[in-house]
Amino acid sequence: MTANEDQEMELEALRSIYEGDDCFKELSPVSFQFRIGDLEDSKSFLLEVSWPENYPESAPHISLDAFFNNRISPETKQYILLMLSEQVEANLGTAMMYTLFEWAKENQETLMENHQPVTSAVTLVSNSDVMNNSTSISKKKEKKEQLTKAQKRKLIGRTDNKGELPRGWNWVDVIKVSSN
């Protein structure tokens, strides 16, 4: 069997096994995402796996770079990738996606045991800030709706038949700027 035939057989198997499973997502015929753990679980993570041309004879590319994993420390990501690479080595030459995904699910606790959620990149906003912002936005909207007839005519005169401003209406004249 050629590598392509192996890939097609494994792809069909993955589609039938994970059909209807919201943890599995096929991005392309050679690229997949698999979520380990529930969405609400702080120890869940998203594996992105893609097959090189000669997979399964060569190792698949495994990544934890998805936005979903931003709260996971680089050290924990490295540990997960190291443990998964050991599984890849043990299964090299065979269809291994199902084995990898199931192994990661079974070992989620071990893989994430040193996980401390990274929150430095996330700005925490209190409910009172959100409420203040939403009330100021609604006040602005009220003012916008109270245009005079002359302002409305002027606005209509500048827009096309879809109510959109023409392309380049807010462009700066490059010649004027460069001559100053």
Side-chain angles (χ1 to χ4, degrees):
M1 252 189 220
T2 66
N4 281 349
E5 289 171 339
D6 284 343
Q7 287 179 7
E8 285 181 36
M9 285 179 59
E10 185 169 6
L11 180 60
E12 290 302 315
L14 288 171
R15 285 175 177 161
S16 65
I17 292 168
Y18 294 114
E19 185 179 353
D21 187 340
D22 66 341
C23 290
F24 178 79
K25 184 176 182 183
E26 181 181 334
L27 303 175
S28 78
V30 295
S31 181
F32 314 93
Q33 282 185 339
F34 195 84
R35 188 181 71 243
I36 308 299
D38 295 326
L39 280 172
E40 301 80 33
D41 186 358
S42 67
K43 293 192 175 197
S44 62
F45 57 94
L46 192 68
L47 289 176
E48 289 185 329
V49 182
S50 58
W51 295 341
E53 205 168 302
N54 53 352
Y55 170 85
E57 300 306 318
S58 61
H61 303 289
I62 302 173
S63 166
L64 291 168
D65 294 337
F67 182 77
F68 186 84
N69 297 329
N70 277 0
R71 68 199 184 314
I72 301 173
S73 70
E75 295 79 22
T76 302
K77 286 181 183 179
Q78 273 184 317
Y79 177 69
I80 293 170
L81 291 172
L82 177 70
M83 299 310 286
L84 284 168
S85 68
E86 289 177 9
Q87 293 302 309
V88 167
E89 301 263 330
N91 290 291
L92 212 54
T94 63
M96 67 179 87
M97 290 298 100
Y98 176 78
T99 309
L100 281 179
F101 295 152
E102 294 303 309
W103 182 88
K105 279 201 296 194
E106 290 169 18
N107 293 282
Q108 177 187 5
E109 284 301 314
T110 309
L111 293 171
M112 296 294 281
E113 66 186 347
N114 296 321
H115 169 63
Q116 296 296 324
V118 177
T119 56
S120 59
V122 178
T123 306
L124 299 174
V125 179
S126 69
N127 283 342
S128 61
D129 289 346
V130 173
M131 293 304 291
N132 291 341
N133 283 345
S134 65
T135 54
S136 64
I137 290 169
S138 63
K139 286 178 186 173
K140 286 179 186 174
K141 285 182 182 176
E142 289 170 20
K143 288 180 184 175
K144 200 173 193 179
E145 292 171 6
Q146 298 172 351
L147 298 173
T148 65
K149 284 184 183 179
Q151 288 171 324
K152 288 178 184 174
R153 275 191 222 109
K154 190 174 181 182
L155 187 64
I156 290 170
R158 283 191 281 166
T159 59
D160 61 11
N161 61 351
K162 295 178 189 170
E164 296 176 358
L165 293 166
R167 184 172 181 263
W169 68 273
N170 62 348
W171 292 358
V172 176
D173 192 350
V174 176
I175 296 167
K176 284 182 186 176
V177 172
S178 61
S179 65
N180 289 339

